[in-house]
């Protein structure tokens, strides 16, 4: 009987039930290279690994050069900006990811940021906690409405569409979106027909009360949201980023806040994560920062781990994985 067991390196912790699925079929090493005490085990397992599974760690050219046996990398994320796509493509290594299972949860997070920034929830909750609620709130602490306002979406993939549904169907918000191509709503999201409109960028920026960036990070989107875009936004607009931090020039964002163009910003993602202690975005009075929790619920993180495990098992068995990323797009 031929031995079909392969070497799998788990580089970020997986739930026990998913680890058990891997261990039933393969030899598994769990070693997170971000933890100094596990780095040696990671380095020892990498040259033998046929499969890698994990997230939030750069799988770059240098790392791939140390993994000559590699057949598949399975990311527990939908974003693939941590992976050296060209090198994976050149070596024919499959890259799998987890689209679909996190859309509604990330959309919830983005909506939480919309509401938190517009209604100043964190600031006013802190006021109560700090004992500052000694008289009725006056208009210097009022927020602005969310319902009925215009939402501008930069990026209109699955998550963008889930945000648009919340906005249009739940909050009566006209939705404008900017994407490379108009989405055929009749087949992809019929409920948004007549409610979400493909709009040229300048037009969107000039009309949206809330601009939400949901852009993947690539060479063409790095630093895309810059001073020019902020200057084109409606005065008093609120900016939310739920995609990738490095798609935004953070200095330009700070200037737009301090110069009065933007009312507030809600940020789940940053150019550097964890956010450095000296980043002005950490403590800015009109920024609501979150620690990249877009998909961070028990249910969704488990669903992502399950899909990533399935992808890996399928690939190592020579089957087409459920969710392969096309690295030819690199
Ligand atoms: C992803 O899956 O890429 C998300 O950023 C996780 O929250």
């Amino acid at each position: 009987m031929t031995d079909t067991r392969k070497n799998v390196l788990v580089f970020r912790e997986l739930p026990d039930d998913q680890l058990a699925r891997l261990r039933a079929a393969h030899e598994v090493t769990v070693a997170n290279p971000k933890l100094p005490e596990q780095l040696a085990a990671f380095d020892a397992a990498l040259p033998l690994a046929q499969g890698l599974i994990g997230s939030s760690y750069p799988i770059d050219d240098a790392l791939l050069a140390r993994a000559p046996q590699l057949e598949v990398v399975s990311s527990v994320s939908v974003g693939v900006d941590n992976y050296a796509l060209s090198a994976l493509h050149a070596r024919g290594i499959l890259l799998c990811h987890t689209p679909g299972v996190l859309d509604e949860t990330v959309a919830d997070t983005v909506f939480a940021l919309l509401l938190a920034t517009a209604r100043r929830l964190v600031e006013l909750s802190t006021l109560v906690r700090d004992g500052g609620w000694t008289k009725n709130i006056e208009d210097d602490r009022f927020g602005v409405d969310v319902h009925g306002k215009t939402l501008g979406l930069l990026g209109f993939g699955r998550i963008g569409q889930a945000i648009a549904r919340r906005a249009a169907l739940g909050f009566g918000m006209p939705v404008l979106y900017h994407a490379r191509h108009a989405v055929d709503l009749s087949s992809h999201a019929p409920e948004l027909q007549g409610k979400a409109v493909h709009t040229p960028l300048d037009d969107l920026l000039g009309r949206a009360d809330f601009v939400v960036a949901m852009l993947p990070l690539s060479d063409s989107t790095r630093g895309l949201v810059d001073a020019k875009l902020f200057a084109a936004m409606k005065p008093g607009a609120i900016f939310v980023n739920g995609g990738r931090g490095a798609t935004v020039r953070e200095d330009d964002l700070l200037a737009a806040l301090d110069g009065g163009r933007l009312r507030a910003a809600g940020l789940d993602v940053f150019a550097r994560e964890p956010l450095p202690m000296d980043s002005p975005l950490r403590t800015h009075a009109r920024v609501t920062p979150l620690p990249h929790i877009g998909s961070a619920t028990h249910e969704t993180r488990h669903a992502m781990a399950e899909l990533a495990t399935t992808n890996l098992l399928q690939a190592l068995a020579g089957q087409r994985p459920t969710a392969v990323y096309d690295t030819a797009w690199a």
Side-chain angles (χ1 to χ4, degrees), residues 227 230 248-258 280-281:
F230 288 120
V248 175
R249 289 193 187 276
E250 291 179 341
D251 288 348
D252 293 354
L253 169 60
L254 281 161
L257 285 161
D258 292 336
L281 292 172

Side-chain angles (χ1 to χ4, degrees), residues 21 52 71-75 92-99 306-326:
R21 290 176 68 204
L52 289 182
E71 297 170 19
V72 53
V73 178
S74 184
S75 187
I93 299 169
L94 283 177
L95 176 62
C96 306
H97 65 150
T98 62
E306 188 169 13
L307 175 53
T309 302
T310 299
N311 284 333
L312 187 78
L313 290 171
Q314 289 167 325
L316 290 178
Q319 299 156 5
R320 184 165 174 82
T322 303
V324 188
Y325 185 86
D326 186 355

Side-chain angles (χ1 to χ4, degrees), residues 81 215-225 245-249 271:
D81 43 288
L215 300 166
L217 182 62
S218 67
D219 289 345
S220 57
T221 60
R222 190 177 296 279
L224 189 78
V225 185
T247 62
V248 175
R249 289 193 187 276

